[in-house]
Amino acid sequence: MEDLVLWFKEVGIDDVNLVGGKNASLGELIRELKELGVRVPDGFAVTAKAYRYYLDSNGLTEKINTLLSSIDVSDLDHLTHRAEQIQALIIGGEFPEDLKSKIVEKYRLLSEQAGMTEAYVAVRSSATAEDLPGASFAGQQDTYLMVRGEEDLLHSIKKAFASLFTPRAIAYRQEKGFSHDKVAISVGVQYMVRSDLASSGVMFTLDTETGFRDVILINSGYGLGEHLVQGHVTPDEFYVHKPTLKRGYRSLILKKLGDKATRLVYKEKDHTLWVEEVPEEERRKYSLNDDEVLRLAHWGLLIEQHYSNKYGKPTPMDIEWAKDGITGELYVVQARPETVHSQRKQGVIKIYRIKEHPTPILEGIAVGDSVAVGKVRVLRSPEEMGAFEEGEVLVTSITDPDWVPIMKKASAIITDKGGRTSHAAIVARELGIPAVVGTGRATQVLKNGMTITVSTAEGEVGRIYEGEVAYEVEELDLSKLPKPKTDIMLNVGNPEEAFRAGVLPAAGVGLARMEFIFASWVKIHPLALLNFDNLPEDIKEQVRELTCGYDDKREYFVDKLSQGIATIAAAFWPRPVILRFSDFKSNEYAHLIGGSLYEPNEENPMIGWRGASRYYSTEYKDAFLLEVAAVRRVREKMGLTNLKVMVPFCRTPEEAQRVIKVLEEGGLKRGNGLEIYMMAEVPSNVLLIDEFAKYFDGFSIGSNDLTQFMLGVDRDSERIAHLFDERHPAVKKACAEIIAGAHRNGRKVGICGQAPSDYPDFAAYLVEQGIDSISVIPDALLKTLQIVYETEQKLREKAGHRVPQS
């Protein structure tokens, strides 16, 4: 009976978490983690063997089996009644004296080590299963926090035993065909990390929405972690890039401030847990600093590597962490393999696309990457389950495990509250249905019976459209895609869509547009930030609101811009990402906050103060240097050296020289892995390609502007739209001259317009001319791969060198 209650260093570990089981040595894991600097709270485990001993000593095994033998999980009332009967039997039992004494002995020793008469502990339960590959019991059993005293501990362990038979746990096993007598439970008793006085959260070693495996996602909120996991708050989010973190860089590529409106805290006087509002000043601050985020991410890497070695395959992890508000130390309190994306078929991508884009009636955090159409059903509690019809869209404030039977019938889920690691988000991923969480007002806006379209296929923002919006689904088997010699790259502007695009078989990003980050993330004209003290009061107030938390307005710009750029660069690492510096026209810059104060009113902005001419001008140079600083941060601090830069609308070689000088002044100098490209989009670029090649490492043909200026056609004019044709002989000849001139000077050349995917004959022409790369929007990737591959095959056949299919 020596293995009934064991210190963590003596116990085994199963597939589920850090407490219980028998498949490998937990002591070995904890020793390794501590040697590597990972903190794990001390504690002991009441093993699965002790659980079975408890049942047998109280004569409960046969009684439980009898109650389970005729259970009907489809009848919610019957299921709930039987579950309550079983739980009452377990909680009403008595510990055998030898088991009780072992638990009390370990608790007293743990208290003594903590320097307390009675230590606060967390009681965490873990289902253990034999011969059930792929079984995940995560989140089905209960956790009890701030447990103190021997009687409180013993009662909490009984409740943890009983949580093996909640209605949801019974139904899960029944639906999966698992025999109840093959499942047991172990209970971990950990020293309580006082996160009620600090922060806590969840860490995944992949992106939970796309399955992208090169990032670590950390969610963080104030107070005890149960509040965040249950979806009561929208947490702070942090993304760390794993490959560059491994190389020693501070690769925190993205962070988003959550509302963190409430927190779960401990009231010592009443020995109760209490939800309190978070003061506005604290809500406006991140609940972790950058150093703490990077430390947690480093631990995530170590734990993922341990489990990957254990299972002999890459094993993304789902990890809970907590910060002690008394000591300031971080701890890992639980870890288990991630069970959604890791179970999906590799090498096959299903892509959902909205075919029309009406104005959404509601937005929130997107969970998943699909689209669903259905009728709204607003429910206030699980007790209203009888009103819910199969295929309806569940709309509610928040969910917990009692909602699962309803969620299984839903085509989509929408909640007022919650983040990416809330209960609703986790269950939606497991069910493979879209969810939009944290909308704030879904239960007020949406009405029963409304037909809506729920889209989580448009990036990180989930959108709800009124009515049935047309969409399409495409499934790609990556192993069957053609592999042309010409690099097929992507045009990417929205960082929120980067991780989804990054899993596509593209050679990199041929055009990363900075303008979207400007408009949607920065929002403020850079000169307004540089001249904040001189702004009118109304504009100053807008700037003050957006830059809250930043003492230095310059830092706000560089930080926001670098995060957007880094997200795109990380999504495609180590493939090249070519970032075009800002190419707004003056009328577009004017739309930024404060922009009208600094932008001229030009008659024809298309050929006005844009591109290179801005970068070296005395009026805008300081603003441009902020862009340069953001690029340097991404490359040098975050380690994303796959990032290259590109200068747009450079009219003359003299302008090229002046821009290169400004870049060098800002610390960006060609060489040492940095390549600087130029957009080839005006006639002077064609005629003087040899001169421009002296200053740049490569060129990207901007077919839209090049067509406009070669043919003298305003591309925005409806009256002469019929004259706008990228396939016009003049345009094609210009492209050929650029390609030949680039290659003559040993420079690379690509194209980043839409024409190659719209016109197969144009793509074929470019391939015939020897273009190095073609960059298209993600939706056009598959078609372009096929077009280019077939063109290359025909050229080889024509030359008598047929190449077999890839």
Side-chain angles (χ1 to χ4, degrees):
M1 307 299 282
E2 292 301 316
D3 54 355
L4 294 179
V5 184
L6 300 171
W7 291 110
F8 282 167
K9 64 183 179 181
E10 302 169 332
V11 81
I13 184 169
D14 64 4
D15 293 356
V16 182
N17 63 25
L18 294 179
V19 291
K22 67 173 188 178
N23 296 337
S25 169
L26 174 60
E28 180 184 357
L29 170 62
I30 290 179
R31 184 170 62 254
E32 289 176 1
L33 294 181
K34 286 187 174 181
E35 287 174 357
L36 293 168
V38 179
R39 293 189 189 88
V40 181
D42 291 326
F44 58 90
V46 182
T47 66
K49 187 172 182 179
Y51 160 75
R52 295 191 186 280
Y53 178 46
Y54 176 86
L55 294 188
D56 291 342
S57 297
N58 285 277
L60 297 179
T61 304
E62 188 174 341
K63 293 178 182 178
I64 291 172
N65 288 338
T66 299
L67 287 168
L68 290 171
S69 63
S70 60
I71 199 165
D72 181 2
V73 297
S74 64
D75 184 336
L76 186 59
D77 290 337
H78 175 71
L79 172 62
T80 302
H81 179 64
R82 285 293 174 90
E84 290 173 349
Q85 286 180 289
I86 296 171
Q87 289 180 300
L89 286 173
I90 295 173
I91 294 173
E94 294 296 334
F95 279 100
E97 278 303 317
D98 55 347
L99 177 56
K100 178 179 178 180
S101 63
K102 287 179 182 295
I103 294 172
V104 169
E105 175 192 352
K106 292 290 193 294
Y107 175 66
R108 289 174 179 173
L109 286 172
L110 185 63
S111 298
E112 184 179 325
Q113 291 173 7
M116 303 171 69
T117 305
E118 294 181 321
Y120 289 105
V121 294
V123 176
R124 301 179 182 277
S125 49
S126 168
T128 62
E130 298 180 21
D131 304 318
L132 297 177
S136 170
F137 299 97
Q140 291 187 15
Q141 281 65 58
D142 294 337
T143 295
Y144 303 94
L145 305 177
M146 302 304 300
V147 175
R148 189 180 192 186
E150 294 169 8
E151 291 304 315
D152 193 11
L153 172 61
L154 292 168
H155 185 64
S156 296
I157 293 173
K158 289 183 184 180
K159 289 193 293 183
F161 284 167
S163 71
L164 190 61
F165 296 97
T166 60
R168 63 184 181 272
I170 295 171
Y172 177 85
R173 294 193 294 271
Q174 198 95 333
E175 290 169 5
K176 294 291 185 180
F178 298 156
S179 175
H180 295 289
D181 60 7
K182 285 192 174 182
V183 181
I185 196 166
S186 62
V187 177
V189 179
Q190 287 179 311
Y191 178 73
M192 184 72 207
V193 179
R194 292 301 302 272
S195 59
D196 59 309
L197 303 175
S199 57
S200 59
V202 182
M203 169 167 56
F204 287 88
T205 60
L206 49 59
D207 176 46
T208 54
E209 304 318 313
T210 64
F212 180 63
R213 296 196 177 188
D214 273 357
V215 290
I216 289 174
L217 166 64
I218 298 173
N219 279 2
S220 174
Y222 294 121
L224 296 169
E226 294 299 295
H227 200 54
L228 182 152
V229 172
Q230 292 170 3
H232 291 285
V233 296
T234 302
D236 297 332
E237 286 187 354
F238 306 91
Y239 282 92
V240 180
H241 186 235
K242 290 196 284 190
T244 46
L245 180 67
K246 290 177 183 177
R247 298 171 65 194
Y249 288 97
R250 293 179 62 83
S251 50
L252 172 51
I253 60 171
L254 178 62
K255 53 185 180 181
K256 296 181 179 180
L257 190 69
D259 68 2
K260 308 181 298 296
T262 58
R263 60 187 164 199
L264 184 64
V265 297
Y266 174 65
K267 296 293 185 182
E268 189 165 3
K269 181 179 179 182
D270 305 319
H271 189 49
T272 58
L273 298 180
W274 187 262
V275 176
E276 67 176 20
E277 290 190 3
V278 176
E280 184 68 25
E281 185 178 351
E282 288 185 63
R283 291 172 59 182
R284 288 174 170 266
K285 296 178 180 178
Y286 286 103
S287 48
L288 286 174
N289 63 42
D290 290 359
D291 288 338
E292 290 168 335
V293 170
L294 292 169
R295 189 176 305 124
L296 284 173
H298 179 63
W299 290 355
L301 282 177
L302 298 176
I303 295 171
E304 181 182 59
Q305 187 60 55
H306 177 90
Y307 273 85
S308 297
N309 292 340
K310 173 184 171 181
Y311 295 124
K313 63 179 182 179
T315 305
M317 296 299 295
D318 170 356
I319 301 165
E320 293 183 25
W321 62 270
K323 179 180 177 180
D324 194 299
I326 297 174
T327 66
E329 302 288 0
L330 292 167
Y331 291 86
V332 166
V333 296
Q334 188 163 314
R336 52 181 169 253
E338 190 269 347
T339 58
V340 177
H341 292 286
S342 58
Q343 303 298 319
R344 289 186 176 175
K345 184 179 179 182
Q346 298 297 305
V348 176
I349 302 173
K350 186 175 284 188
I351 302 172
Y352 288 76
R353 299 188 187 95
I354 292 287
K355 297 176 72 173
E356 50 190 282
H357 291 83
T359 302
I361 56 175
L362 201 63
E363 294 184 340
I365 299 170
V367 176
D369 52 2
S370 60
V371 179
V373 177
K375 292 187 180 296
V376 168
R377 178 65 62 184
V378 181
L379 299 182
R380 305 295 175 181
S381 79
E383 295 175 1
E384 300 174 344
M385 179 181 182
F388 195 85
E389 298 290 337
E390 186 89 27
E392 290 184 322
V393 177
L394 173 61
V395 179
T396 189
S397 178
I398 191 173
T399 69
D400 60 32
D402 292 332
W403 287 87
V404 172
I406 305 172
M407 299 166 85
K408 289 179 178 178
K409 295 181 177 181
S411 59
I413 299 167
I414 304 171
T415 66
D416 290 338
K417 301 176 182 179
R420 296 188 197 284
T421 53
S422 64
H423 177 267
I426 292 169
V427 173
R429 288 189 201 100
E430 291 177 349
L431 295 175
I433 61 176
V436 180
V437 300
T439 63
R441 55 196 184 96
T443 54
Q444 301 170 38
V445 173
L446 303 176
K447 307 299 179 185
N448 284 335
M450 288 176 63
T451 296
I452 60 172
T453 300
V454 181
S455 171
T456 58
E458 302 172 74
E460 295 185 355
V461 178
R463 295 184 172 91
I464 293 95
Y465 301 101
E466 189 169 4
E468 185 170 347
V469 176
Y471 68 95
E472 61 184 6
V473 185
E474 182 178 20
E475 189 168 286
L476 302 181
D477 184 339
L478 301 186
S479 66
K480 296 180 179 179
L481 292 180
K483 298 177 177 62
K485 180 181 177 182
T486 306
D487 285 336
I488 308 302
M489 307 176 82
L490 296 180
N491 299 336
V492 179
N494 184 355
E496 294 171 359
E497 298 176 358
F499 293 157
R500 282 187 176 88
V503 302
L504 297 173
V509 176
L511 174 62
R513 296 184 177 94
M514 190 182 285
E515 294 81 34
F516 183 92
I517 308 172
F518 253 87
S520 299
W521 291 35
V522 178
K523 300 181 181 179
I524 305 168
H525 196 288
L527 291 176
L529 291 165
L530 291 173
N531 296 282
F532 176 75
D533 292 338
N534 300 322
L535 294 175
E537 194 56 41
D538 59 333
I539 296 177
K540 186 179 291 186
E541 185 57 35
Q542 293 181 64
V543 173
R544 190 180 289 116
E545 177 68 22
L546 281 173
T547 60
C548 180
Y550 291 87
D551 295 330
D552 183 352
K553 307 304 179 188
R554 295 169 185 251
E555 173 58 22
Y556 166 83
F557 182 95
V558 174
D559 190 40
K560 290 290 185 182
L561 188 59
S562 64
Q563 287 183 45
I565 296 168
T567 300
I568 298 174
F572 289 85
W573 171 271
R575 293 166 289 173
V577 171
I578 303 173
L579 172 74
R580 184 178 68 190
F581 285 116
S582 62
D583 192 28
F584 276 140
K585 289 75 177 174
S586 56
N587 58 321
E588 294 168 335
Y589 274 112
H591 291 148
L592 297 172
I593 294 173
S596 60
L597 299 173
Y598 304 100
E599 294 299 327
N601 183 18
E602 296 184 296
E603 290 295 328
N604 193 344
M606 187 69 75
I607 54 174
W609 193 35
R610 61 176 287 202
S613 61
R614 275 183 174 266
Y615 305 157
Y616 60 81
S617 69
T618 55
E619 296 95 333
Y620 196 79
K621 176 182 170 183
D622 288 343
F624 176 65
L625 287 172
L626 296 181
E627 297 181 31
V628 175
V631 170
R632 287 192 62 189
R633 179 171 298 184
V634 173
R635 286 180 52 86
E636 298 169 14
K637 185 177 179 181
M638 302 180 193
L640 291 161
T641 51
N642 61 323
L643 181 67
K644 308 172 190 301
V645 294
M646 183 157 63
V647 176
F649 221 79
C650 187
R651 296 171 169 94
T652 68
E654 291 74 24
E655 274 202 324
Q657 186 177 22
R658 297 180 73 174
V659 170
I660 292 297
K661 184 177 180 181
V662 174
L663 288 172
E664 291 179 355
E665 184 181 327
L668 285 181
K669 188 172 183 178
R670 289 173 65 194
N672 296 320
L674 174 65
E675 293 182 346
I676 302 176
Y677 284 67
M678 186 192 84
M679 290 286 294
E681 53 193 342
V682 295
S684 59
N685 301 152
V686 182
L687 298 173
L688 299 175
I689 190 70
D690 295 301
E691 291 299 310
F692 283 106
K694 296 176 182 177
Y695 302 102
F696 298 103
D697 298 287
F699 301 93
S700 182
I701 299 170
S703 59
N704 288 341
D705 272 347
L706 186 62
T707 302
Q708 174 174 238
F709 297 123
M710 290 302 298
L711 300 180
V713 176
D714 183 349
R715 69 190 198 200
D716 294 328
S717 172
E718 294 181 5
R719 293 192 176 188
I720 54 174
H722 62 284
L723 295 174
F724 188 93
D725 184 2
E726 295 97 326
R727 296 169 295 174
H728 190 281
V731 180
K732 291 172 70 175
K733 187 174 182 180
C735 290
E737 290 290 338
I738 294 170
I739 294 169
H743 289 166
R744 186 166 59 245
N745 289 277
R747 302 292 186 254
K748 290 172 278 190
V749 61
I751 187 169
C752 57
Q754 186 62 21
S757 56
D758 287 342
Y759 308 115
D761 58 327
F762 185 60
Y765 177 80
L766 294 172
V767 173
E768 288 172 1
Q769 300 305 311
I771 198 162
D772 298 303
S773 65
I774 295 174
S775 190
V776 297
I777 61 173
D779 288 356
L781 176 64
L782 182 60
K783 181 171 69 173
T784 307
L785 282 168
Q786 192 65 45
I787 291 169
V788 172
Y789 182 77
E790 290 174 356
T791 300
E792 291 178 350
Q793 287 290 85
K794 290 176 183 177
L795 289 173
R796 288 170 182 140
E797 288 174 11
K798 189 175 180 180
H801 302 292
R802 182 174 175 82
V803 177
Q805 292 282 326
S806 296

